[in-house]
Amino acid sequence: MVENAYVLGMADLMVAKAPAKLVTLGLGSCIGLVIFDHVAKVAGMAHIMLPDSRGAANLEKVGKFADTAVPALVEEMVKLGSVRPHMKAKIAGGAQMFALPGASAEFLTVGAKNVKETTAQLARQGILLVASDTGGNKGRTVEFSTSNWMLKIKTLGKGVTEI
Amino acid sequence: MLDLGSFNSLQLDAIREMGNIGTGNAATALSKLLSCMIDMDVPKVKLVSIYDLAQHYGEPDEQVAAVFVRSTGGFACSLIFIQNEEDARLMVELLLKQQFGDALPQDLSQELRDSALSEVGNIILSSFLNAINILLGTQHQISVPGVAHDMLSSILDVVASIFGQMGEMALMVNTELRVEGAGDSAISGNIIMVPDPDALEILLRKLKVL
């Protein structure tokens, strides 16, 4: 069967039935979150930008914040027939693109906060985080395929890895 | 905090003019550094969606070189000097040729290249900042520059995370600089200034448009 490929932009969130390929390009401090269920054969992805929706003026896109993206993605998975005990998660991203010695700016370390909050939200939902590739100072392009339930990660200068 | 959607054209014009003064000073400094003619565009002030920042500069996964500095003080902002990798390489060679002439070694280490790149970026961005802080009558401190070689969209995540907490739009002041007389095609680079959201009000007051 031919896989349907979906490319997610910033703050997008989507779920698809297998066979499918979910792609998001150039994650810097953002997180590519995948939740999948190989029993129900569904997978979902979110491109998370920030950890915490508190203080946000509006919630146009639930995929934008870790604390709204994780529950929303779980809910969408359930709609496609998945059940929570079968859901597993993989995450990639959360890099710090620039290090400025001596400069303190909260947004420079947002990547680490994204990782922390996404991980905490998965734990709260009772979803097992089976693999992750986070941190560092390089951007990542990620591609999840339901053919092998693997997340392919491309990093400039480091080639391709799979988790 | 100011609502970005409420900016009127007079306010955007004032910010553009400020960008023009900053860019003029940056172009002069770069011209002295490289002993070349520098051509510059009239800056653009854009209110753009944080969800598709990359499309204003190229493809999301295009490889770019970027120099980033933070400026704090009376008017806080972040600045990025961004170029495609090939232009960054040519600019570094142009700078190093000033120093070494024809004795420039062929196999320059990445560390040396990055050091030169961060110096070019630093001079461009500090000159930009000096001019606008004189205009605004503010004091400022500039961070050490940070350099990254990465995908365009990964780099611009920095801008998205500055503005993302408050809304869906970012305010960017953008100018292109071109180094003339450097072979067939000009070397170009973009200066992007991103004011801190909570400094926008100060900015408009100092420019006397609020």
Side-chain angles (χ1 to χ4, degrees):
Chain A
M1 263 198 286
V2 180
E3 285 184 323
N4 294 308
Y6 303 95
V7 179
L8 286 84
M10 300 272 275
D12 283 348
L13 179 149
M14 76 177 322
V15 288
K17 283 186 180 292
K21 188 180 273 183
L22 298 162
V23 180
T24 193
L25 304 174
L27 294 164
S29 56
C30 293
I31 301 281
L33 162 69
V34 173
I35 300 182
F36 62 99
D37 171 352
H38 48 63
V39 181
K41 300 203 183 318
V42 294
M45 185 182 270
H47 182 142
I48 298 168
M49 293 169 63
L50 292 162
D52 191 344
S53 66
R54 279 175 298 177
N58 65 57
L59 260 180
E60 208 171 287
K61 286 177 166 246
V62 288
K64 184 174 173 183
F65 299 101
D67 64 339
T68 52
V70 175
L73 192 54
V74 169
E75 202 175 303
E76 292 299 316
M77 294 281 293
V78 170
K79 282 183 196 163
L80 283 193
S82 173
V83 289
R84 223 170 277 237
H86 293 160
M87 291 184 202
K88 288 177 185 157
K90 294 185 179 185
I91 62 171
Q96 177 170 352
M97 302 309 295
F98 295 97
L100 309 183
S104 62
E106 204 163 299
F107 61 83
L108 287 173
T109 55
V110 72
K113 293 180 194 115
N114 282 338
V115 174
K116 194 172 168 217
E117 186 62 24
T118 305
T119 309
Q121 289 291 336
L122 287 167
R124 184 169 305 167
Q125 295 284 332
I127 292 160
L128 190 63
L129 179 61
V130 291
S132 64
D133 176 28
T134 59
N137 61 0
K138 297 302 284 179
R140 297 167 172 89
T141 282
V142 299
E143 194 179 297
F144 185 80
S145 170
T146 58
S147 66
N148 56 0
W149 310 99
M150 293 297 275
L151 185 63
K152 194 187 273 182
I153 301 161
K154 292 179 204 163
T155 307
L156 282 183
K158 285 193 202 159
V160 180
T161 53
E162 267 194 335
I163 61 170
Chain B
M1 210 175 285
L2 289 179
D3 174 16
L4 287 179
S6 71
F7 274 54
N8 61 40
S9 60
L10 178 69
Q11 291 168 329
L12 294 175
D13 276 347
I15 298 171
R16 182 181 304 116
E17 186 47 30
M18 178 197 71
N20 206 12
I21 289 164
T23 311
N25 206 39
T28 305
L30 184 62
S31 174
K32 281 186 191 150
L33 181 71
L34 300 176
S35 309
C36 286
M37 290 284 286
I38 307 293
D39 190 16
M40 61 178 258
D41 280 347
V42 176
K44 294 186 180 74
V45 178
K46 294 184 192 167
L47 286 168
V48 295
S49 163
I50 55 170
Y51 304 121
D52 49 28
L53 291 170
Q55 75 173 41
H56 299 277
Y57 301 97
E59 296 299 318
D61 55 352
E62 184 180 335
Q63 190 175 356
V64 295
V67 181
F68 182 93
V69 299
R70 272 290 290 162
S71 174
T72 50
F75 166 61
C77 62
S78 303
L79 286 110
I80 311 173
F81 181 65
I82 197 163
Q83 298 179 284
N84 73 43
E85 275 294 352
E86 177 63 8
D87 283 19
R89 192 181 64 76
L90 291 171
M91 193 174 277
V92 161
E93 284 176 7
L94 205 56
L95 174 70
L96 293 174
K97 272 182 189 153
Q98 299 283 313
Q99 190 71 32
F100 297 101
D102 290 336
L104 183 69
Q106 289 297 308
D107 51 344
L108 293 169
S109 71
Q110 191 59 39
E111 199 181 353
L112 182 66
R113 286 178 176 279
D114 280 357
S115 165
L117 181 63
S118 92
E119 199 43 40
V120 177
N122 198 22
I123 282 165
I124 292 170
L125 300 177
S126 332
S127 310
F128 187 100
L129 282 164
N130 286 338
I132 65 168
N133 279 287
I134 289 169
L135 176 76
L136 298 173
T138 42
Q139 298 288 320
H140 71 292
Q141 297 87 42
I142 306 175
S143 74
V144 174
V147 176
H149 299 272
D150 220 304
M151 289 173 275
L152 179 60
S153 120
S154 306
I155 302 277
L156 294 176
D157 268 8
V158 174
V159 179
S161 57
I162 294 172
F163 275 93
Q165 197 66 48
M166 70 180 276
E168 330 293 322
M169 304 294 282
L171 180 113
M172 302 167 92
V173 180
N174 182 62
T175 328
E176 190 174 332
L177 291 178
R178 286 177 301 274
V179 182
E180 300 295 343
D184 295 341
S185 54
I187 303 168
S188 67
N190 272 285
I191 299 173
I192 304 173
M193 186 189 78
V194 188
D196 279 14
D198 53 11
L200 286 171
E201 196 171 326
I202 298 168
L203 176 63
L204 295 183
R205 283 191 197 288
K206 295 278 186 192
L207 292 171
K208 302 191 168 51
V209 286
L210 187 74

